Amino acid sequence: MADIEDDKMNEESKEEVKESPEISEVEKLKKELAEEKDKAMRLYADFENFRRRTARERSEIFIRAAEDVYKEVLPVVDNFSRAMDQAGNDPFAEGVKMVYNQLMDFLKKGGVEPIASLDNEFNTSEHEAVAYQPSPDKPEGTVIYEIRRGYKMGDRVIRAASVIVSSGAPEAPANEATPQEKDDSSESK
C-alpha cells in the first residue's frame, strides 16, 4: 500500500513538474507582453512629443518670417510718418496720409502695434535710451522724447523705441545760491 501511495505521489509531482514549466512560460510571456506594451506606449508618447514639437517649431518659423517682413516695412512707415509731419494740406499730403494709414492697417492686421513711449517709465525691454536729458517737469527715468517709434508683435518686441530719458530736474548752477542759502546770507547781515 505504501508503494501505491508513493506511485501516486510520484505521478502528482510529475504533473506538477509538467505544470511548472507551463506556468513559468505563461508568466514569461505575460512579462514580455507587458514590456512590449510599455515600449509601444513610450514610442507613442515620443511620437506625440515629436509631433507637438515640430508643430510648435513650424509655427515659430512662420512667426519669425512674418517678423522679418514687418521689420523691413518699418523704415518705410517711419519715412511716411516724417513726410506727414512735414506735409501741408495739399492733395499730395492727403495721398501720403492715405498710404501711411494703409501701412498702419497692414501692420495692425499682422498683430504689430506701436509701443507707447512718451511720458511712460523707461523700460529696457521696449526702449533704447539714446540720451539722458534734464527735465524740470518729468521725474527721472521717464521717456520725454521719442526719436524712433518701437513696435511689438504680440508680446515680442520687433524693434525697440529709440528714446531720450529724463535725468530728473536740472541741478542749480554752482555759482547761484539756492533759496535757502540766500535766506541764510540775508540773516547773517
Side-chain angles (χ1 to χ4, degrees):
M1 186 124 145
D3 288 335
I4 296 176
E5 286 180 21
D6 285 340
D7 286 340
K8 282 185 183 180
M9 290 186 98
N10 284 338
E11 286 177 29
E12 287 176 13
S13 63
K14 285 180 184 178
E15 286 178 20
E16 285 178 19
V17 170
K18 288 180 184 176
E19 288 179 19
S20 293
E22 288 177 13
I23 292 173
S24 65
E25 192 171 324
V26 169
E27 288 178 15
K28 181 180 173 185
L29 289 174
K30 284 182 180 179
K31 186 177 178 183
E32 285 179 21
L33 179 62
E35 287 174 1
E36 292 301 319
K37 280 184 179 179
D38 185 54
K39 284 181 187 177
M41 291 299 287
R42 290 178 190 271
L43 184 62
Y44 179 74
D46 286 344
F47 177 72
E48 284 298 310
N49 290 337
F50 170 76
R51 189 180 57 78
R52 284 188 206 113
R53 185 176 61 247
T54 54
R56 186 176 56 244
E57 288 172 355
R58 183 176 177 188
S59 175
E60 271 295 312
I61 289 170
F62 286 125
I63 290 170
R64 295 270 185 210
E67 279 182 17
D68 290 343
V69 169
Y70 293 127
K71 280 181 187 178
E72 293 295 320
V73 171
L74 292 179
V76 176
V77 172
D78 292 340
N79 289 333
F80 271 100
S81 178
R82 286 187 205 101
M84 283 182 13
D85 290 344
Q86 299 301 316
N89 290 328
D90 61 355
F92 180 74
E94 290 300 316
V96 169
K97 289 177 185 176
M98 288 172 58
V99 173
Y100 175 79
N101 289 334
Q102 284 180 323
L103 285 170
M104 292 305 291
D105 287 342
F106 168 72
L107 293 174
K108 190 174 184 177
K109 285 178 186 175
V112 178
E113 295 181 2
I115 295 172
S117 297
L118 287 177
D119 298 328
N120 288 331
E121 188 174 328
F122 178 74
N123 179 349
T124 57
S125 63
E126 294 180 345
H127 303 121
E128 175 184 332
V130 176
Y132 287 92
Q133 181 176 322
S135 174
D137 56 337
K138 302 289 181 190
E140 183 177 355
T142 302
V143 175
I144 57 175
Y145 187 74
E146 184 177 65
I147 295 172
R148 185 183 71 181
R149 181 173 269 179
Y151 291 90
K152 287 173 117 178
M153 184 174 172
D155 292 340
R156 188 176 287 181
V157 175
I158 294 177
R159 181 177 78 182
S162 297
V163 297
I164 296 177
V165 181
S166 170
S167 60
E171 293 182 19
N175 59 359
E176 277 189 33
T178 62
Q180 184 162 354
E181 289 175 347
K182 288 181 182 177
D183 288 343
D184 290 342
S185 65
S186 63
E187 289 176 7
S188 60
K189 288 183 181 180

